[in-house]
Amino acid sequence: MDIRTVATQPYSDQKPGTSGLRKKVPVFQQPNYLENFIQSIFNSLEGYQGQTLVVGGDGRYYNRQAIQIILKMAAANGFGRTLVGKGGILSTPAASYVIRKNNAFGGIILSASHNPGGPHEDFGVKYNISNGGPAPEKVTDAIFANSKTIAEYHLLDAPDVELDQVGRFKLGEMVVEVFDSVSDYVELMQSLFDFDRIRQLLTGGQFRMCMDSLHAVTGPYAHALFEEVLGAPAGTVLNGVPLEDFGGGHPDPNLVYAHDLVEIMFGADAPDFGAASDGDGDRNMILGRNFFVTPSDSLAVLAANAKLVPGYKDGLAGIARSMPTSQAPDRVAARLGIECYETPTGWKFFGNLLDAGKATLCGEESFGTGSNHIREKDGLWAVVFWLNVLAVRQQSVEQIVKEHWQQFGRNYYSRHDYEAVDAERANKLIEGLRAKLPTLPGQKLGSYEVEYADDFSYTDPIDGSVSQKQGVRIGFTDGSRMVFRLSGTGTQGATLRLYLESYEPNIANHGLDPQVALGEMIQLADELAQIKTLTGMDKPTVIT
Ligand code: G16
């Protein structure tokens, strides 16, 4: 078999975003586009000769074709072994675990996460390092730099690998192991949670749950975990067959896109517990009967109840949350006497804190929760964590969250997304805000007084690396905040995200709709940033 060196021209748009390179499928299908990016990844790495690479994706359209190309390129570039999920499928958390468990050099995960899939929808490529987590900025910067000067790539001329059969194959000098990651993942969950107690809850006849896999990657994992191992009745997992186009849906676990589940959980005779996860299985949404748990509250509740769960019974080293996530977890950390770290948006920023043992639980407002068991957020892990807490406390989701608010106060929270905005207008909006920042502190805005106004900058406490311009934040003297930033995961125009938060210590005021509680802030944000005028939109496209 021959290694072929192919001459190529650089593309100028291969800068990885918040979580890898995400583009429409036809962009990836341009001649040499995927190959350039993969070779740029390899070119930015050192010392991988003979080492192991993990490869898999969320099963979306173009997953299989991309995997064949990546395997042939890995073989031509000198990797010794690749571990590939059966059928090309690996959830992002499972990939992180497999990298760690096998001491792999790294992994390539193919996913555009919660974005739709299909011939004209989204695809993505992300490189994870040996700790199992997304590559930090210094690596993604190097990949981008390589992509701008690339002149050739290497590919093995060989027939396609059989992806649907578990086994060991040779591709040139490289060994390809196709394996099924479901049992590994179930074992990992078993090592952290009290499966006996959860099984009692799920088989006791009193408690019903519903898990919506949105026709994405978690289907096989969820069937095995909830129905086969934990004893929940067949049919507990909805939309559990991964499809290349996610059944035409938007595999994003929020109140807008997980509408089947929302109808069930807010309908008559609703189950006690509902959950959904996203395209690649790292996000989660938690619902009780007629009750939505915001991701920020979910992190805070899990942290406050961690001692009830075997894997975390010895306490937490610290908590970490992304900057736009609400400050509810900070209150729990303060009560527990541990640190709460505030990082930029992007799971990659948690990696160093987890590796250094500074944080045990991490979470983001964008429906991501996870822990030091791997280096990615983990949708099903969050669901099992909640089940463990429910099994021990024998209360409803709503009771648990409301008691939490009684103890810690309620952080009202909402995110307003304005999707597919003209990129120039979106940048103008952010630039306009940046220009106003120096004048804001001390100013009265409605009934609020600005305490600070800045563009978030983060210095990693472990390696000292600095990440600037991570979101415009305006903090008020009563602890309320508004944050503006542009998404780094979209593939069409720009997405403006407005994050709003206010703190309410008084139990008597805990029953408001967040849009009402945050009403004045929403108004102020529009006046300050001229959102309606500059986006040309009357209202957000998605509110979570
Ligand atoms: C990715 C990142 C998350 C981030 C989210 C939203 O999640 O891993 O850390 O919070 O994108 O990012 P943005 O606001 O820039 O769109 P996922 O699930 O898409 O991989």
Side-chain angles (χ1 to χ4, degrees):
M1 276 179 277
D2 294 328
I3 292 176
R4 201 153 44 95
T5 296
V6 183
T8 186
Q9 300 278 328
Y11 285 92
S12 60
D13 63 345
Q14 297 197 325
K15 185 173 172 52
T18 310
S19 189
L21 185 68
R22 291 187 187 165
K23 301 280 177 196
K24 295 283 175 207
V25 167
V27 174
F28 271 103
Q29 287 171 325
Q30 296 174 90
N32 299 338
Y33 192 90
L34 175 68
E35 291 85 346
N36 274 17
F37 190 66
I38 299 298
Q39 189 66 52
S40 301
I41 294 176
F42 295 156
N43 290 350
S44 68
L45 306 175
E46 268 175 32
Y48 61 79
Q49 301 297 322
Q51 301 282 320
T52 300
L53 181 73
V54 173
V55 182
D58 62 9
R60 69 179 57 228
Y61 186 87
Y62 201 53
N63 192 47
R64 285 174 169 268
Q65 295 90 320
I67 287 178
Q68 297 294 352
I69 293 170
I70 292 167
L71 292 178
K72 290 170 194 171
M73 290 186 66
N77 279 276
F79 276 94
R81 182 170 73 135
T82 43
L83 299 174
V84 189
K86 184 173 166 233
I89 300 260
L90 268 185
S91 76
T92 292
S96 181
Y97 181 53
V98 171
I99 293 170
R100 293 169 70 75
K101 188 177 167 189
N102 292 281
N103 295 318
F105 188 87
I108 294 181
I109 303 177
L110 305 171
S111 170
S113 186
H114 51 290
N115 296 0
H120 300 288
E121 297 296 351
D122 293 1
F123 190 73
V125 180
K126 182 169 78 158
Y127 180 69
N128 280 30
I129 59 174
S130 61
N131 74 354
E137 276 188 336
K138 63 175 187 297
V139 177
T140 54
D141 287 349
I143 296 171
F144 181 46
N146 270 293
S147 77
K148 289 190 284 192
T149 57
I150 190 166
E152 60 183 34
Y153 64 84
H154 311 293
L155 181 94
L156 186 78
D157 266 330
D160 282 357
V161 172
E162 171 58 78
L163 294 177
D164 293 311
Q165 198 184 324
V166 167
R168 266 170 88 90
F169 310 94
K170 274 304 260 299
L171 196 58
E173 295 300 309
M174 185 179 81
V175 173
V176 178
E177 285 180 34
V178 178
F179 71 103
D180 189 341
S181 67
V182 171
S183 54
D184 273 359
Y185 184 78
V186 171
E187 259 172 49
L188 174 65
M189 293 301 109
Q190 204 147 8
S191 71
L192 298 171
F193 300 109
D194 188 342
F195 269 34
D196 289 340
R197 213 141 176 186
I198 299 172
R199 197 175 293 113
Q200 278 168 22
L201 178 76
L202 291 174
T203 56
Q206 301 292 317
F207 181 94
R208 283 180 301 134
M209 78 170 274
C210 185
M211 167 77 213
D212 191 347
S213 286
L214 294 171
H215 283 305
V217 78
T218 57
Y221 300 88
H223 277 297
L225 250 182
F226 301 120
E227 297 179 2
E228 287 163 30
V229 179
L230 291 168
T236 295
V237 178
L238 301 179
N239 303 319
V241 178
L243 299 175
E244 281 198 333
D245 66 349
F246 309 114
H250 205 128
D252 197 355
N254 61 37
L255 292 173
V256 176
Y257 294 122
H259 36 76
D260 288 358
L261 179 72
V262 171
E263 266 174 40
I264 293 170
M265 295 306 298
F266 287 82
D269 192 29
D272 302 272
F273 180 63
S277 56
D278 70 332
D280 60 332
D282 55 3
R283 296 185 176 205
N284 73 91
M285 175 171 71
I286 301 294
L287 300 173
R289 180 183 294 139
N290 281 304
F291 194 82
F292 166 64
V293 186
T294 69
S296 304
D297 278 347
S298 180
L299 173 63
V301 169
L302 296 187
N305 288 279
K307 285 211 163 158
L308 305 179
V309 172
Y312 307 93
K313 68 176 187 330
D314 296 332
L316 307 175
I319 305 174
R321 64 163 174 81
S322 66
M323 182 273 283
T325 302
S326 98
Q327 297 160 98
D330 304 42
R331 298 182 180 277
V332 177
R335 186 80 56 93
L336 295 174
I338 56 176
E339 198 68 41
C340 187
Y341 297 89
E342 186 176 44
T343 61
T345 294
W347 204 264
K348 58 190 174 217
F349 292 103
F350 295 136
N352 277 349
L353 294 169
L354 292 165
D355 283 351
K358 300 262 185 215
T360 309
L361 297 191
C362 307
E364 295 187 277
E365 51 64 41
S366 54
F367 295 83
T369 335
S371 89
N372 57 355
H373 67 294
I374 52 171
R375 295 295 181 271
E376 287 278 5
K377 54 192 187 273
D378 190 344
L380 291 177
W381 166 92
V383 178
V384 187
F385 201 132
W386 263 96
L387 282 172
N388 200 145
V389 172
L390 290 164
V392 175
R393 291 191 48 172
Q394 298 285 321
Q395 289 173 297
S396 70
V397 172
E398 181 172 354
Q399 280 167 335
I400 289 174
V401 175
K402 286 192 168 162
E403 274 186 23
H404 185 92
W405 293 340
Q406 275 171 28
Q407 261 187 293
F408 295 94
R410 177 170 184 186
N411 288 72
Y412 277 107
Y413 187 81
S414 185
R415 185 176 104 184
H416 290 196
D417 291 341
Y418 295 80
E419 294 170 320
V421 178
D422 174 70
E424 216 173 288
R425 283 165 162 246
N427 285 324
K428 193 171 161 202
L429 185 150
I430 296 289
E431 286 309 328
L433 278 170
R434 282 192 181 126
K436 286 186 186 158
L437 290 176
T439 63
L440 287 176
Q443 261 195 49
K444 285 276 260 177
L445 296 181
S447 56
Y448 297 93
E449 185 181 337
V450 179
E451 186 176 336
Y452 62 89
D454 63 9
D455 200 346
F456 182 58
S457 166
Y458 177 66
T459 303
D460 185 295
I462 312 301
D463 66 14
S465 57
V466 178
S467 305
Q468 285 170 324
K469 298 193 170 177
Q470 297 294 324
V472 169
R473 31 174 219 176
I474 298 164
F476 301 95
T477 48
D478 68 347
S480 305
R481 295 191 310 170
M482 55 176 83
V483 174
F484 301 82
R485 61 179 281 282
L486 300 183
S487 158
T489 57
T491 56
Q492 210 181 352
T495 295
L496 170 71
R497 301 207 197 284
L498 165 65
Y499 311 81
L500 302 144
E501 175 180 8
S502 73
Y503 179 63
E504 178 53 71
N506 186 350
I507 304 174
N509 299 331
H510 282 175
L512 294 178
D513 176 336
Q515 303 311 314
V516 174
L518 296 164
E520 189 187 350
M521 290 253 282
I522 294 169
Q523 181 70 31
L524 290 172
D526 185 52
E527 283 164 18
L528 197 64
Q530 295 294 301
I531 301 175
K532 287 184 188 144
T533 312
L534 285 171
T535 62
M537 294 180 183
D538 268 356
K539 53 179 180 13
T541 38
V542 178
I543 294 183
T544 48

